[in-house]
Amino acid sequence: MLDFLREEEINENLIDEIEQFRKYYNVKPDLRYRIPNPKYNYYGKDIWEEAITVLLCGENLLLVGPKATGKNVLAENLAAAFQRPIWNISFHVNTDSSSLIGTDTFKNGEVVLRHGPIYECAIYGGFGVLDEINMAKNESIALLHATLDFRRIIDIPGYEKIPLDDATRFIATMNYGYAGTRELNEALASRFMVIQMPSISFANLKKLLRREFPNMKEEYIEQFAGLFKDIQKKSESSEISTKPLDLRGLISSIHLMDKGLDAFKALQMGITNKSFDSFEQQLVEDVIRLRIPEKLKRGEIFTD
Amino acid sequence: METENKEKERAFNIIWNASGEYSFKPEIEAYDENGKADIYLNYIIGAVHKYYDYSLLENFFNDLKEDAYQELLKSLTWIGLENCTYERGKVERPVLESLRQSYSKKILSGCDAASTNYLFDEIRIAHFKKALGENPKMTGLASKILNELEFDKSMSTEQIIRRLNKIIRVYFRFGLIPSSYGGKRKIPRRRHIIPFLRLFKIASYKYSGEISFKKKESRFSKLISNWFKLIELRDKRQREYMQKLYGISILPESQTKAIEQVLCTGNHKNCHMHFTCGQFEDNIINNRDAIYHRDAVIRQREKNKEHYKKDLARNNNSISRLTNEIKNAILANSESYSIRSEFGKFMAERVWRNFYLNDNKIFIKNLKDDIKNLSVDIMLDASSSQANRQEIIASEGYIIAESLTRCRIPVKIYSFFSEKSYTIINLFRDYDETDKNDRIFNYYSTGCNRDGLAIRAALHMMKDSESEHKILIILSDGVPNDTQGIPKNESSRIRCDYIGTCGVNDTAMEVRKGRQDGVSILCVFTGLDEDIPDARRIYGCDLACIKSPKRFADIVGVLIQNELNNM
């Protein structure tokens, strides 16, 4: 991961500090399996540097941005760069403090605390990824306030008070930018450093495709990246929903093409059909047709 | 009809995609023989917007309107544009090569080259044959014109127009075209078009209450007391005037004044409120303004209804779709249940089950969601800037109101506008008047709009609603505009006009305040594309831009659904 950061020309001082961080904080061998090995890399020098600095300073991070901006990719990449075990916690309406920190359970005839992911992450010095943090009801996660701010403790009524491990960091993600997204309340937001995630740039998108598909012809890297940008623009102008705006889907489609499937069919499964409205499908299909020839075969896209 | 609209929408989308710009409405679209949007030609139309200065071309086309050969010349222009745009576009999109070929084949299969009589057909066929790599046979004239017409990709818009003018001058002058190619030019081309004079609507000052000092008092105190009396008199007269013109107040004067003391402060100091439900006094016979206004309202009501009836099927469809969407959102959110679980709240009385039955589920977990206790206020901007869209706004308001009513959600509907220092709130229906939705067709736009004060008033009225969750839906064009300025600061008498940034900021602030108090404020945007940025500054993300009426229910549905999900 650090080699990748050097390739991306991230400030050398920051990389040195990451190395020191890694040396200083060890990971228990039985937790090593939790250290992620990211499938995709995050591209974007500025964001990388901001995020690394925040984590080095012991702050928590909130990544805000619309769909397909790489919030979770970055979170995972950061954990890999710092070599910390990761706990992924998806927030939803019914998320409450007991499902995060822990709740009473009954074992061998007595009531004991069943640890939640935040608790585990806190004592083992992991990186906790609080996915879609704005989807939980603000009041129900108020118990996290003491965990996330300078106090760095977990205080569960009826049990002991636990200090957080020094290496523990929390990275929250939040989808924001379309009509009707839920707000995060001030108390919670003030406990994070916030990065506004930009949508992936054309150049970085090409970089990503090039890395994922080293055997793809440059001409088609250009076209697939352009296709994604076209769809993004259409969705930003609210002509279509965000459903077909699916980077994961695009990459999976290209994998299918690599296996020999028709480009058009592959894109249909990966992108067009993500929307269930037939008219929207038609619009997306038009976008695709202005980028990808109808009967494109594998040999034309890939070099080998 | 429905498919026609869809194809139009599709064509627009292809054009926008090609141009990379979504802010304009294309003047022309292209369809194939089955009425389907043609992907290649629409791409070309869009790409022309991208690569060339379309306003210049538009002027050129406008000039052509005066020409007897306008259709022919226009079509020829597009052949030329197709050529250079394709050359430019294929660098960016290699796929164009195959799209152009299949388009050319389609064109050629549709016409028989040998039997064409018309110059245009000959040129067109030759052009697309060339596109397929063939070497077509042509008459001398057609060949010359086509050569001139196939613009090079390096040419700028100005150069293209110069070339087109040259073609017209050289080949399309009197007598030059053989009669077999059709007729002679009738009228000389007119080069200049008188620019439209833009008419601005300015709020009228109809009030002419006579107030003047009759006699100068020598004593200062008397002067002061007279001054206050005069102000009082003026206020009274203005209030009476408003009553006569826009309908009887639904509140006693004392109450209106009390409300004014709460609302008309800060930026809205010296403003007044008038709450009415549009009912006129009986004795307005001697007031011409009032009669005029009443008649205008009645006429507009007919127009509004007419408009709604014209698209009755679609509107009904919108209502039922929106109703379903809201119902779904309510259903999905109103479940509340508890389950036995292995963790959660400890149930002492169940402990025995663990000992004797080995049942670990001695906890109870509550998955609760409140049943929505919700009321919705709909406020329509009734300023004269909406004059051209009155029917549309009334219909949209009606659709929302009716859908919510069918979901048994209490709805209150009113419109607002301002005249002089008065902001008039015209109440159409209250929460419990479930059968009065059609009063929304009384919607009539006039005067200015002081959005900030109107929102403040709406939020104040919403305090009366006992519901736990409140939504305010505003149908507005996002352009606050009032003749009464706002003081630059507390002490100064200098005022900045309630338009532009000043008005937008004030309105945005009121919206933020409302949201802080827990009211969800949504805007259904009814204005022009260029005002969207301002509307976004006021309402943030909770803004629905309706580009075509058939998507209205969907877009508003999503907005309301999200709001319900977030509660």
Side-chain angles (χ1 to χ4, degrees), chain A residues 103-106 137 178-180 182 223 230 233-234 237 239 279 282-283 286-287 289-293, chain B residues 6 9-10 13-14 16-17 20 22 39 92-95 342-344 354 363 541-542 562 565-566:
Chain A
T103 179
D104 291 338
T105 191
F106 207 69
K137 289 195 169 136
Y178 304 115
R182 194 194 291 257
Q223 289 311 304
D230 283 352
K233 194 135 205 190
K234 209 166 257 316
S237 321
E239 285 300 319
F279 183 59
Q282 176 90 67
L283 294 184
D286 285 341
V287 178
R289 283 212 293 166
L290 277 174
R291 285 287 181 186
I292 313 294
Chain B
K6 278 202 165 160
E9 184 91 16
R10 230 188 102 201
N13 266 286
I14 299 170
W16 285 325
N17 180 30
Y22 282 78
I39 189 153
E92 209 176 296
R93 296 171 189 261
V95 68
E342 289 181 9
F343 56 90
N354 182 264
F363 296 84
C541 292
D542 295 323
N562 280 332
N565 290 339
N566 286 350

Side-chain angles (χ1 to χ4, degrees), chain B residues 291-530:
Chain B
I291 293 173
Y292 174 81
H293 178 79
R294 189 193 57 190
D295 291 349
V297 170
I298 294 170
R299 268 201 308 277
Q300 188 58 40
R301 179 183 165 83
E302 290 313 311
K303 272 197 210 161
N304 290 343
K305 280 194 151 174
E306 195 64 30
H307 178 85
Y308 183 81
K309 276 199 193 124
K310 208 173 73 194
D311 279 325
L312 192 64
R314 190 172 66 201
N315 290 334
N316 279 340
N317 190 11
S318 290
I319 291 178
S320 62
R321 279 222 312 268
L322 192 53
T323 308
N324 279 335
E325 281 186 22
I326 298 170
K327 269 189 185 153
N328 275 342
I330 294 176
L331 267 183
N333 285 294
S334 60
E335 287 162 52
S336 168
Y337 49 92
S338 53
I339 49 166
R340 287 200 306 125
S341 152
E342 289 181 9
F343 56 90
K345 196 175 152 204
F346 182 57
M347 306 283 287
E349 67 274 22
R350 285 190 177 271
V351 175
W352 66 271
R353 291 182 66 89
N354 182 264
F355 284 102
Y356 298 104
L357 302 176
N358 223 359
D359 176 7
N360 280 336
K361 293 187 172 173
I362 55 168
F363 296 84
I364 197 155
K365 192 167 171 63
N366 277 321
L367 299 168
K368 64 168 177 203
D369 267 313
D370 310 318
I371 292 173
K372 297 293 179 258
N373 179 0
L374 173 76
S375 70
V376 179
D377 280 42
I378 300 173
M379 183 159 77
L380 315 176
D381 174 355
S383 63
S384 45
S385 60
Q386 305 274 35
N388 300 331
R389 303 182 279 267
Q390 295 184 78
E391 299 86 9
I392 301 175
I393 291 169
S395 299
E396 289 181 348
Y398 181 79
I399 293 172
I400 303 179
E402 185 63 27
S403 310
L404 289 166
T405 309
R406 288 190 192 178
C407 297
R408 297 193 183 158
I409 296 172
V411 191
K412 187 171 182 171
I413 310 161
Y414 36 91
S415 71
F416 75 94
F417 62 94
S418 66
E419 186 177 329
K420 304 203 69 170
S421 60
Y422 277 79
T423 286
I424 293 116
I425 303 277
N426 192 350
L427 182 70
F428 296 125
R429 70 157 271 198
D430 211 334
Y431 294 123
D432 49 354
E433 297 173 312
T434 46
D435 53 346
K436 304 274 170 60
N437 278 334
D438 67 331
R439 285 219 206 127
I440 217 169
F441 292 121
N442 288 343
Y443 172 80
Y444 170 72
S445 70
T446 178
C448 300
N449 51 324
R450 199 176 182 85
D451 296 36
L453 181 55
I455 291 174
R456 205 185 261 191
L459 293 169
H460 182 78
M461 288 194 286
M462 287 170 87
K463 285 188 184 144
D464 294 344
S465 154
E466 284 166 3
S467 303
E468 197 180 330
H469 301 294
K470 295 165 192 172
I471 299 183
L472 173 61
I473 301 176
I474 303 168
L475 276 72
S476 157
D477 60 358
V479 189
N481 180 1
D482 193 24
T483 49
Q484 186 101 347
I486 54 182
K488 280 211 164 128
N489 55 47
E490 283 291 320
S491 53
S492 113
R493 290 188 63 84
I494 308 169
R495 295 176 152 249
C496 70
D497 291 339
Y498 200 84
I499 45 170
T501 325
C502 220
V504 168
N505 285 349
D506 176 67
T507 312
M509 208 168 72
E510 296 299 336
V511 171
R512 302 296 181 281
K513 271 189 206 157
R515 288 196 179 137
Q516 261 170 22
D517 290 343
V519 178
S520 310
I521 300 178
L522 316 177
C523 173
V524 175
F525 183 74
T526 56
L528 305 170
D529 278 357
E530 68 236 38

